[in-house]
């Protein structure tokens, strides 16, 4: 009876919230239209209505609802011009936006020509993590910091970092790479800048990054001192100094090449640098996954969403076209399942001699052979990172919340298409805890062992667009995928 009453209360609460969010969405759309009108009202309205048909595939909203349409001008002679202000200059669907926009606006009977220009929204200052103890002035012009981590050495993390960085640069973004491994810096071997030693301003003590093919580079290996031999506390301070005093300038993406493990250096970076998102690199073996899983949970605990998983050395292709998997299968798929990511977020890279040879030769593979199949794999990774990072700015903060009165977790699933009503329902907190992926792992104690049925979460934080991070009173930090929560008893 009690649970039936709870469900009734939940339904009433949800209906009230639906009205509020429908009103909010209508106001947001009107605001977007108001900001785009530098043209006669009727013609402007015609164009905006036409552009409502151009849907951003990531947000599930039209370019008008997203607020992308700027500087709209409708001439008396039928010429129409406007700007689409996208979230990043590396937007992978820019060409499709242009094609669709011209098509729908040209269909208006009074239009004679359409001119579409593109720009990216101005950089916003990154918020320092609440755990930050020092200011990092060098990052004030950096829009997004992307951590590339494996928590295990030898899986191809640095190769992924470098090729991802140059892929994003080739997509039109301003990019930098920070090599955080001071014990064994690999960046100097993988790229070959003309000036292979970083400079320092004697007055401001700021570091001048090296540069190769338009990408800014900072690594202890470019300090002219080889690898570091020092204790962890000194290394953590060195890391903060290098990344925080470098003259990064205006960057769309700073790729942070993490060293292996989950120790002092990794925690220092996570707690002092405002990391936007993470890419996790693994190999197919179960042993690699055991370490990668620790990294996924480290990021989740610090509310850093994992946006893509790269499974390196996934297979090799024989001359006859047959694929072989000498290291087994499954690590990458388990990782995206734990992160709550869709299958499209998994990028599987083959065992390829030319990939490692490019890294050893100082020229990234995507630079030396940009039309290869491997370069296409990295392009898919780059597009995934751009797409998911763009989504983060619009992630609803109310995906899952705990209602103290109902004693339920109230879930509002993201809409999958424009105008779709967000599904809402309630589930018991204990059922969410029991769904934790570790409960299914051999050798792991059941996460809900000895936990009362009326347990309530201490905090719930969205992790990207597919999961939430939940802290429980028993010390468990859970990454709960939304599709798993949606399958629980309601």
């Amino acid at each position: 009876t009690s649970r039936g009453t709870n469900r009734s209360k939940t339904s009433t609460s949800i209906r009230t919230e639906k009205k509020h969010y429908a009103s909010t969405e209508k106001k947001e759309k009107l605001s977007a239209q108001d900001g785009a009108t530098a043209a006669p009202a009727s013609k402007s309205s015609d164009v905006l209505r036409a552009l409502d048909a151009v849907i951003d595939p990531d947000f599930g909203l039209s370019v008008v609802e997203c607020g992308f349409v700027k500087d709209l001008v409708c001439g008396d002679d039928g010429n129409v011009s406007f700007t689409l202000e996208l979230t990043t200059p590396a937007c992978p669907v820019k060409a499709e936006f242009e094609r669709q926009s011209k098509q729908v606006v040209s269909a208006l009977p009074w239009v004679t020509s359409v001119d579409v220009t593109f720009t990216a929204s101005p950089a916003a200052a990154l918020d320092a993590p609440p755990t930050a103890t020092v200011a990092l002035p060098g990052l004030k012009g950096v829009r997004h910091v992307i951590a590339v981590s494996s928590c295990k050495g030898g899986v191809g993390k640095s190769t992924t970092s470098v090729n991802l960085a140059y892929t994003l640069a080739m997509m039109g973004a301003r990019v930098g790479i920070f090599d955080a491994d001071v014990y064994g810096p690999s960046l100097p071997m993988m790229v070959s800048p003309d000036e292979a030693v970083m400079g320092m301003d004697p007055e401001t003590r700021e570091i001048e990054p090296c540069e190769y093919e338009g990408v800014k580079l900072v690594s202890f290996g470019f300090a002219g001192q080889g690898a570091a031999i020092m204790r962890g506390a000194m290394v953590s301070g060195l890391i903060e100094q290098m990344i925080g005093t470098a003259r990064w300038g205006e960057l769309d993406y700073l790729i942070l090449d993490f060293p292996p493990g989950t120790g002092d250096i990794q925690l220092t970076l996570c707690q002092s640098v405002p990391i936007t998102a993470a890419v996790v690199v693994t190999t197919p073996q179960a042993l690699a996954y055991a370490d990668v899983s620790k990294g996924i949970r480290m990021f989740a605990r610090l509310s850093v969403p994992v946006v893509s998983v790269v499974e390196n050395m996934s297979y090799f292709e024989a001359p006859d076209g047959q694929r072989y998997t000498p290291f087994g299968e499954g690590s990458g798929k388990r990782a995206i399942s734990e992160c709550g990511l869709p299958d499209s977020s998994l990028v599987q890279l083959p065992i390829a001699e030319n990939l490692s040879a490019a890294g050893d030769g100082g020229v990234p593979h995507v630079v030396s052979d940009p039309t290869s199949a491997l370069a296409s794999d990295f392009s898919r990774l780059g597009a995934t990172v751009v797409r998911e990072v763009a989504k983060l700015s619009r992630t609803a903060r109310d995906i899952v919340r705990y209602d103290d009165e109902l004693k339920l977790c109230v879930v509002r699933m993201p809409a999958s298409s424009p105008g779709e009503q967000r599904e809402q329902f309630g589930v018991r907190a204990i059922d969410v805890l029991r769904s934790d992926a570790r409960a299914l792992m051999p050798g792991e104690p059941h996460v809900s062992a000895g936990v009362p049925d009326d347990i309530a979460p201490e905090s719930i934080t969205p992790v990207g667009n597919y999961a939430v991070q939940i802290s429980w009173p028993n010390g468990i930090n859970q990454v709960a995928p939304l599709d798993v929560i949606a399958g629980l008893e309601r």
Side-chain angles (χ1 to χ4, degrees), residues 42 77 138 142 163 179 221 241 327 339 348 438 482:
S42 59
D77 56 356
V142 178
N163 282 281
D179 181 0
Q241 179 186 7
F327 299 125
C339 295
Q348 295 176 303
R438 284 172 294 182
L482 295 182

Coordinates of all heavy atoms in Angstrom, one line a residue, residues 42 77 138 142 163 179 221 241 327 339 348 438 482:
S42 N 8.3 39.9 -40.3 CA 7.6 38.8 -41.1 C 8.6 37.9 -41.8 O 8.5 36.7 -41.8 CB 6.5 39.4 -42.0 OG 7.2 40.3 -43.0
D77 N 15.8 42.7 -51.7 CA 15.9 42.0 -52.9 C 15.9 40.5 -52.8 O 16.1 39.7 -53.8 CB 17.3 42.4 -53.6 CG 18.4 42.1 -52.6 OD1 18.2 41.7 -51.5 OD2 19.6 42.3 -53.1
G138 N 47.4 30.1 -16.8 CA 47.6 29.7 -18.2 C 46.4 29.1 -18.8 O 46.4 29.1 -20.1
V142 N 41.5 28.6 -22.3 CA 41.2 27.2 -22.7 C 39.8 26.9 -22.5 O 39.3 27.0 -21.4 CB 42.1 26.2 -22.0 CG1 41.8 24.8 -22.4 CG2 43.6 26.5 -22.2
N163 N 47.4 11.6 -31.7 CA 46.6 11.5 -32.9 C 45.2 12.1 -32.8 O 44.6 12.7 -33.7 CB 46.4 10.1 -33.4 CG 47.7 9.6 -34.1 OD1 47.9 9.8 -35.3 ND2 48.5 8.8 -33.4
D179 N 51.8 16.8 -21.8 CA 52.3 15.5 -21.5 C 52.6 15.5 -20.0 O 53.6 16.1 -19.5 CB 53.6 15.2 -22.3 CG 54.2 13.9 -22.0 OD1 53.7 13.1 -21.2 OD2 55.3 13.6 -22.6
G221 N 59.9 16.6 -21.2 CA 60.9 16.2 -22.2 C 61.4 17.4 -23.0 O 62.5 17.3 -23.6
Q241 N 52.8 23.6 -12.0 CA 53.6 24.7 -12.5 C 53.6 24.7 -14.0 O 53.4 25.8 -14.6 CB 55.0 24.7 -11.9 CG 55.8 25.9 -12.4 CD 57.3 25.8 -12.0 OE1 57.7 24.8 -11.4 NE2 58.1 26.9 -12.3
F327 N 44.5 -10.9 -28.7 CA 44.4 -10.5 -27.3 C 43.0 -10.7 -26.7 O 42.7 -10.2 -25.6 CB 44.9 -9.1 -27.1 CG 46.3 -8.8 -27.5 CD1 46.6 -7.8 -28.4 CD2 47.3 -9.6 -27.0 CE1 47.9 -7.6 -28.8 CE2 48.6 -9.4 -27.4 CZ 48.9 -8.4 -28.3
C339 N 30.4 2.8 -18.1 CA 30.3 4.3 -18.2 C 28.9 4.7 -18.6 O 28.5 5.9 -18.5 CB 31.3 4.8 -19.3 SG 33.0 4.6 -18.9
Q348 N 37.5 1.1 -31.9 CA 38.5 0.0 -31.9 C 39.6 0.2 -32.9 O 39.3 0.3 -34.1 CB 37.7 -1.3 -32.1 CG 36.7 -1.7 -31.0 CD 35.9 -2.9 -31.3 OE1 35.2 -3.0 -32.4 NE2 35.9 -3.9 -30.5
R438 N 29.6 -3.6 -10.4 CA 30.5 -4.4 -9.6 C 29.9 -5.6 -8.9 O 30.5 -6.6 -8.5 CB 31.2 -3.6 -8.5 CG 32.3 -2.7 -9.1 CD 32.8 -1.7 -8.1 NE 31.8 -0.7 -7.7 CZ 32.0 0.3 -6.9 NH1 33.1 0.4 -6.3 NH2 31.0 1.1 -6.6
L482 N 21.9 5.4 -17.3 CA 20.5 5.7 -17.4 C 19.7 4.5 -17.9 O 18.5 4.3 -17.5 CB 20.2 7.0 -18.2 CG 20.8 8.3 -17.6 CD1 20.4 9.4 -18.5 CD2 20.3 8.5 -16.2

